[in-house]
Amino acid sequence: MTRQDTTTRAPGGTAGAADQVFQVETHGIDPIPDEERHGGAKDLFWLWFGSNLTFTYVINGALAVSFGLSFWQAAGVVVLGGLSFFAISAAGLSGVRTGTATLVVSRAPFGVRGNWPAGMLNWVVSIGYTILNTVVGTLALEAFFADTGVGSGRTARAFALLITLALTFVVALWGHATVQFAERWIAYVLAVGFAALLVFLLPGADTAGAAVSPGASGWSLAFVVMLAGPFSYVPMPADYTRYLPRTTSMRSLTWYGALGGFVSSVALGIAGVAAATQTDMTDAVAGTERLLPGWFQTLFLALVLGGSVTNSIVTLYSSSLNLQVLGVPWSRSKAIVISAGVTAAGSLCALFLTDFTSSLLSFLSLLIIVFAPWGGVFLTDMLMRRCHYDGPALHAGPDGAYWYRSGFHPAGVAALLAGMVFAALTCDSELWTGPLVAPLGGADLTLLGSLVSGVVYRVLARRTVAPHADPS
């Protein structure tokens, strides 16, 4: 039974009162009791499908072409990037096994204190992307108001911002059940609209045009752009699987979640590739609009708004759990007010005071130096433990098995640092160019930091990390 109404029953016939649609969720990072587990793997398809129906992937596809790739080369990179959702979705099994959030589970590879810095950076990234999505959604809604004669100017922009923030905050405040419910139903509408977008863009695509040789730089930058989005979800998947029954199979969980993210990200990425072979996509929204029939342009702006909101809901919700991991002594519903307040302030600054959006985006993209290696350690640890953790120890602090040495796991911290050093040496971004980029022919190998950190962790922890033996 999927969670589509306010009366869904948990296994055993008792109502999961802590996780009702349109009611404030009472749980945070505390383990979800078995009697309150509910739903099924199919729910994950709509969660990842809806949250990735965002215009960002259109922009990413267009960027791949701007790096010198042909239509088919760029489309191939888009597909390979979409396949990464299989790893993201599989990581959700940790939530099924432990009943808690990803950034609690990651105490196992890093230690309780060693997990804190990445947790802080993840909160910054979550809020940063929520601000960017809010700004994009606000500008799209402002343009929608102008096209429909509602109004224009600063008042219209302020009203558009208020609506965009409200749509995001209210759903995220209600919590897990409402997030899944909203992602499903918004996805129905957005899927139809973005399917029409594909119909308009694909026929005119230049599929025969020869690409300027992209070289190592072009190929690597295209892969970084395509994989950065999925990698940003690594600290989140258990947040949305922790309510699933323990009997949920890894195969079904992985396939449903992966297909959701794959279908939406690949479809929109290819739309961006097609658009970039036909027009200048420096301003991706304006460039795409030029290729659409006049009657569809206003609806297109509504699609941009909807995609921004669905993605922001997921990141804002996870940020509230993130704050609890960092030690904020509030309930999830109270902690989310902090995230919403920072998002509102950042969005106001970007829209009315100063244009810091491009600088923020550059800063966020640079943080892949941390999150690619972090993801490598986390996923390697999950495989080594076969996703079997000592659940109570994750919350036990100094008294638990994951306290290690003064709260730090030496193998995890050392592997993370090794991956970060490699990523920093091979990173090519606006804010930082690593010293190995030029000798590598301009290639950006930042994402391989995840492989480096994973291998180092496997070597250092092979004798000490093993699946937890469940006494039951």
Side-chain angles (χ1 to χ4, degrees):
M1 179 181 292
T2 54
R3 185 75 173 175
Q4 296 186 43
D5 55 63
T6 59
T7 59
T8 300
R9 297 278 172 174
T14 51
D19 191 37
Q20 300 268 352
V21 178
F22 304 133
Q23 294 183 25
V24 176
E25 177 189 6
T26 59
H27 284 299
I29 61 172
D30 53 304
I32 307 300
D34 286 346
E35 62 271 16
E36 294 186 28
R37 303 285 191 100
H38 59 78
K42 291 181 180 179
D43 297 331
L44 297 177
F45 174 86
W46 294 107
L47 175 81
W48 292 112
F49 180 73
S51 61
N52 285 285
L53 283 172
T54 171
F55 193 72
T56 301
Y57 288 106
V58 176
I59 298 173
N60 292 347
L63 283 173
V65 175
S66 73
F67 295 146
L69 277 66
S70 68
F71 175 90
W72 292 111
Q73 290 171 334
V77 173
V78 168
V79 171
L80 290 174
L83 290 174
S84 63
F85 277 100
F86 279 88
I88 305 303
S89 187
L93 183 61
S94 61
V96 176
R97 294 276 172 80
T98 64
T100 191
T102 305
L103 282 169
V104 175
V105 179
S106 61
R107 290 169 176 169
F110 297 105
V112 176
R113 287 176 172 169
N115 189 54
W116 199 92
M120 186 66 213
L121 283 175
N122 182 68
W123 183 79
V124 171
V125 170
S126 296
I127 295 304
Y129 279 118
T130 305
I131 291 172
L132 290 172
N133 277 319
T134 299
V135 169
V136 171
T138 298
L139 294 176
L141 186 55
E142 180 187 8
F144 179 88
F145 287 159
D147 287 353
T148 55
V150 173
S152 58
R154 294 175 69 87
T155 300
R157 177 173 291 189
F159 186 47
L161 174 60
L162 181 63
I163 292 175
T164 305
L165 286 171
L167 289 172
T168 303
F169 173 69
V170 170
V171 174
L173 173 66
W174 271 323
H176 174 267
T178 310
V179 168
Q180 289 199 318
F181 178 86
E183 292 291 343
R184 175 190 289 267
W185 287 99
I186 296 174
Y188 289 156
V189 178
L190 293 181
V192 174
F194 279 119
L197 181 70
L198 271 172
V199 170
F200 293 132
L201 295 180
L202 281 178
D206 181 8
T207 59
V212 177
S213 177
S217 176
W219 280 108
S220 63
L221 287 173
F223 274 109
V224 167
V225 165
M226 294 303 169
L227 291 170
F231 258 90
S232 69
Y233 289 121
V234 174
M236 299 183 189
D239 302 0
Y240 304 99
T241 60
R242 70 195 204 282
Y243 278 95
L244 293 178
R246 293 181 189 273
T247 55
T248 305
S249 75
M250 181 174 181
R251 177 176 296 180
S252 61
L253 179 148
T254 300
W255 273 94
Y256 278 115
L259 285 176
F262 178 83
V263 171
S264 52
S265 65
V266 169
L268 296 185
I270 290 178
V273 172
T277 64
Q278 303 172 64
T279 189
D280 179 14
M281 290 285 283
T282 303
D283 182 337
V285 173
T288 304
E289 274 192 290
R290 286 194 292 269
L291 302 174
L292 302 174
W295 64 267
F296 189 76
Q297 291 179 3
T298 301
L299 294 176
F300 165 69
L301 294 172
L303 291 177
V304 175
L305 168 64
S308 298
V309 169
T310 59
N311 194 264
S312 291
I313 287 171
V314 170
T315 55
L316 188 62
Y317 173 78
S318 285
S319 75
S320 63
L321 298 174
N322 198 157
L323 285 173
Q324 288 191 310
V325 174
L326 293 175
V328 173
W330 291 355
S331 67
R332 183 207 60 83
S333 58
K334 290 181 179 179
I336 202 171
V337 175
I338 298 175
S339 296
V342 176
T343 298
S347 300
L348 281 168
C349 183
L351 290 165
F352 293 99
L353 300 179
T354 181
D355 181 15
F356 82 113
T357 306
S358 59
S359 298
L360 178 60
L361 185 58
S362 297
F363 170 69
L364 293 173
S365 65
L366 188 63
L367 289 183
I368 197 165
I369 291 176
V370 176
F371 283 105
W374 186 93
V377 175
F378 176 76
L379 294 174
T380 301
D381 180 81
M382 189 182 75
L383 290 172
M384 293 173 70
R385 297 180 193 274
R386 299 177 187 173
C387 222
H388 287 284
Y389 301 90
D390 182 347
L394 290 170
H395 302 269
D399 299 323
Y402 303 123
W403 186 252
Y404 302 110
R405 297 181 185 175
S406 302
F408 296 87
H409 186 200
V413 174
L416 175 62
L417 291 175
M420 287 174 59
V421 169
F422 177 87
L425 291 173
T426 59
C427 175
D428 184 14
S429 71
E430 291 184 13
L431 298 181
W432 167 259
T433 299
L436 295 184
V437 172
L440 290 169
D444 184 334
L445 303 182
T446 312
L447 290 172
L448 290 182
S450 60
L451 180 62
V452 171
S453 63
V455 170
V456 172
Y457 185 74
R458 178 69 180 83
V459 171
L460 295 179
R462 67 187 186 279
R463 295 181 180 178
T464 57
V465 169
H468 174 68
D470 190 341
S472 63

